[in-house]
Amino acid sequence: MKVFLFAATALLCTAASAQDTDAPILFTNVNVFDSSSGQIIEGGEVLVRGHLVSEVSETAISVDGAEVIDGGGRTLMPGMIEGHGHVMLASEPVTMLVTQDAFEQGARAAARAQAYFEAGFTTVRDMGGNCFGIKKAIDAGVTKGPRIYCGGASIGQTSGHGDFRMPTDGHPRFDGPEFSGSANRQRHTLIADGVDDVRAAVREMLFRGASHIKIHAGGGVTSFTDPLQAAQYTPGEMKAAVEEAERYGTYVATHAQLNNSVWASLDAGVKSIEHGLVLEEDTVIRMAELDVFYNPQAYLALQDVSGNPQFQDPIQQGKLALVSEGARAAFELAKKHNLKMLWGTDVFGGASIFEQFRQEFAFRDMFFTPTEQLIQISANNGAVLALSGLKNPYPDGALGVIASGAYADIILVDGDPTQDIRILMDTDNIDLIMKNGVVYKNTVD
């Protein structure tokens, strides 16, 4: 898998060039968004040395030999973080993924990563897919793209949400891995049944380089063989996954749409609930008490079911209708009980679908202030990344903040997103993109 990803991405584009010198970079005349407090530092200055932020000040910073970028009153904010992405699932329709040539998958993944990056997303928390190769290619400068926190294959039971075999495929246990379908064989998803198999699957992903682990605790909209209401994985299986992840210093996130699977996930010690759009209030209260992260998606759930571009099959639309009915109440309960809200889209599919993923800003606008969304997409998402602990692939600094010692992942926005979050939906409003102290885009006059 790694070899063809390198080859495919190399054909697409080369890495962006670094600055001509290693001189410090000084941003002046910028309104700095402090994602920790939600406040704006008006007329601030930010000094970058190497790949880290060195200083943030409300007054002038004096440094010899710095390259000065006058922001002209624009908003300087942390590079955005996609909290629930699928870089490898860049095909349209979904069935293409399970039959697609692996070289084509790699090429599409490189294009998807670059599209994220050009939209101002300097980090993606990948929640299912064999993204290790594309992550290494980006880190090595073969192609430009965001940092990727790769969970690897999402792990699930036979006939669960992660079981994307075709009807003619075999089962990895009964028929051998080579007959178990493309998604399982290529490790976009991984079928594991029983405590021992779950432990082995988690250990395998950690060996491959996973920064976190994702398991399926309940039914999902995309899959065809599992009812949405179905509880998946026994308490023992889920606890085994959590134990193995914690032994390596990281955490487990679960796909869990309904109340039963969310409650079971909390029992097992899971740290992040992905989706969770049909919830009862006592479950939300428990989530708050346990201080878990909550990562719902408004765009997928609240748009018109019949026109949802990601779910056109009648089976999918039937399940999506159930999710849509509960989604608005779930968002309102989350806000009422002050859950630690992440910002993620769960977007997958072809380019025509991906073009719409920033509609998440508009749909969340019904529930959250612009500042609340900005905190979600920066500081909160950065905090869940830090849970990777010993498996953190980028341990030198914090992400999602502009502060001394943090990674210099920064965007410069033409306008004030604390007043109008929707300006982040237009790439033309992002005048500068910096990752790891390197400027990849600069259209500042």
Side-chain angles (χ1 to χ4, degrees):
M1 188 72 176
K2 299 174 186 175
V3 173
F4 64 69
L5 278 176
F6 276 108
T9 53
L11 292 173
L12 282 176
C13 54
T14 59
S17 299
Q19 291 83 232
D20 292 336
T21 71
D22 293 328
I25 297 177
L26 178 62
F27 292 96
T28 65
N29 191 20
V30 289
N31 296 324
V32 184
F33 178 69
D34 180 352
S35 59
S36 298
S37 67
Q39 302 299 309
I40 288 284
I41 302 173
E42 295 186 0
E45 298 199 355
V46 174
L47 179 65
V48 173
R49 292 184 183 273
H51 64 296
L52 301 177
V53 174
S54 176
E55 186 177 353
V56 181
S57 178
E58 299 182 29
T59 59
I61 297 173
S62 178
V63 58
D64 293 334
E67 176 186 348
V68 177
I69 298 176
D70 185 338
R74 294 173 177 83
T75 302
L76 194 76
M77 62 174 283
M80 292 183 286
I81 301 170
E82 161 68 277
H84 189 121
H86 295 283
V87 174
M88 291 300 300
L89 309 188
S91 302
E92 187 176 10
V94 173
T95 50
M96 186 177 180
L97 174 64
V98 298
T99 59
Q100 189 175 73
D101 177 83
F103 284 92
E104 183 180 351
Q105 286 182 4
R108 288 178 178 270
R112 176 59 47 85
Q114 185 167 341
Y116 261 126
F117 192 60
E118 291 173 348
F121 287 79
T122 54
T123 302
V124 172
R125 177 179 177 242
D126 197 285
M127 299 304 290
N130 192 345
C131 51
F132 301 117
I134 185 63
K135 168 187 163 43
K136 290 181 179 180
I138 292 170
D139 288 348
V142 176
T143 183
K144 69 179 178 181
R147 302 178 192 272
I148 299 179
Y149 278 72
C150 186
S154 55
I155 301 169
Q157 69 181 47
T158 297
S159 194
H161 180 55
D163 190 344
F164 285 99
R165 289 174 295 154
M166 303 299 284
T168 53
D169 290 328
H171 188 279
R173 176 177 293 179
F174 307 131
D175 305 292
E178 67 272 24
F179 300 109
S180 61
S182 177
N184 190 75
R185 189 173 61 252
Q186 295 184 16
R187 297 296 189 265
H188 299 307
T189 61
L190 191 58
I191 297 169
D193 295 301
V195 168
D196 289 344
D197 275 3
V198 169
R199 288 191 189 277
V202 171
R203 291 172 180 174
E204 172 68 5
M205 289 303 102
L206 293 170
F207 169 76
R208 297 293 170 192
S211 56
H212 57 275
I213 297 297
K214 179 188 172 186
I215 64 173
H216 298 287
V221 174
T222 310
S223 47
F224 297 99
T225 60
D226 58 327
L228 188 70
Q229 302 89 334
Q232 296 174 17
Y233 272 154
T234 64
E237 288 170 321
M238 283 196 280
K239 287 180 181 178
V242 170
E243 288 173 4
E244 291 302 322
E246 290 183 346
R247 280 149 61 103
Y248 269 66
T250 186
Y251 70 100
V252 170
T254 55
H255 166 102
Q257 283 283 16
L258 271 64
N259 201 75
N260 59 346
S261 55
V262 172
W263 194 270
S265 298
L266 299 177
D267 284 345
V270 164
K271 300 299 184 185
S272 177
I273 302 297
E274 309 299 312
H275 316 308
L277 290 169
V278 185
L279 299 178
E280 297 172 7
E281 188 164 13
D282 60 344
T283 302
V284 176
I285 292 172
R286 189 178 180 210
M287 291 168 67
E289 291 173 345
L290 293 174
D291 205 30
V292 302
F293 289 95
Y294 178 45
N295 195 2
Q297 292 76 44
Y299 159 60
L300 292 183
L302 294 175
Q303 63 181 295
D304 177 65
V305 172
S306 63
N308 190 306
Q310 290 187 233
F311 307 114
Q312 286 296 299
D313 187 276
I315 293 175
Q316 294 174 325
Q317 290 191 351
K319 294 197 282 188
L320 182 61
L322 294 175
V323 171
S324 298
E325 289 175 8
R328 188 175 298 274
F331 272 95
E332 291 171 350
L333 286 171
K335 186 159 187 178
K336 175 182 176 181
H337 294 287
N338 198 29
L339 293 188
K340 290 197 301 188
M341 184 75 64
L342 304 179
W343 196 102
T345 67
D346 193 25
V347 67
F348 56 87
S352 61
I353 294 174
F354 186 76
E355 288 172 359
Q356 304 299 317
F357 87 102
R358 283 173 290 182
Q359 288 292 326
E360 184 72 22
F361 286 115
F363 279 86
R364 287 195 183 217
D365 213 12
M366 296 186 289
F367 305 98
F368 304 106
T369 67
T371 296
E372 287 172 333
Q373 279 207 64
L374 287 172
I375 291 172
Q376 292 165 12
I377 205 167
S378 55
N380 285 6
N381 279 359
V384 78
L385 297 178
L387 280 185
S388 294
L390 298 176
K391 295 294 289 183
N392 189 341
Y394 308 105
D396 291 349
L399 291 167
V401 296
I402 297 178
S404 178
Y407 277 112
D409 290 13
I410 292 169
I411 60 174
L412 193 58
V413 181
D414 186 8
D416 185 357
T418 67
Q419 299 301 311
D420 181 8
I421 196 67
R422 300 185 187 214
I423 66 174
L424 296 175
M425 296 169 63
D426 186 349
T427 300
D428 289 342
N429 292 326
I430 300 173
D431 290 337
L432 181 142
I433 299 172
M434 169 184 279
K435 188 187 83 170
N436 211 42
V438 176
V439 175
Y440 288 80
K441 174 185 179 181
N442 185 1
T443 59
V444 176
D445 294 330

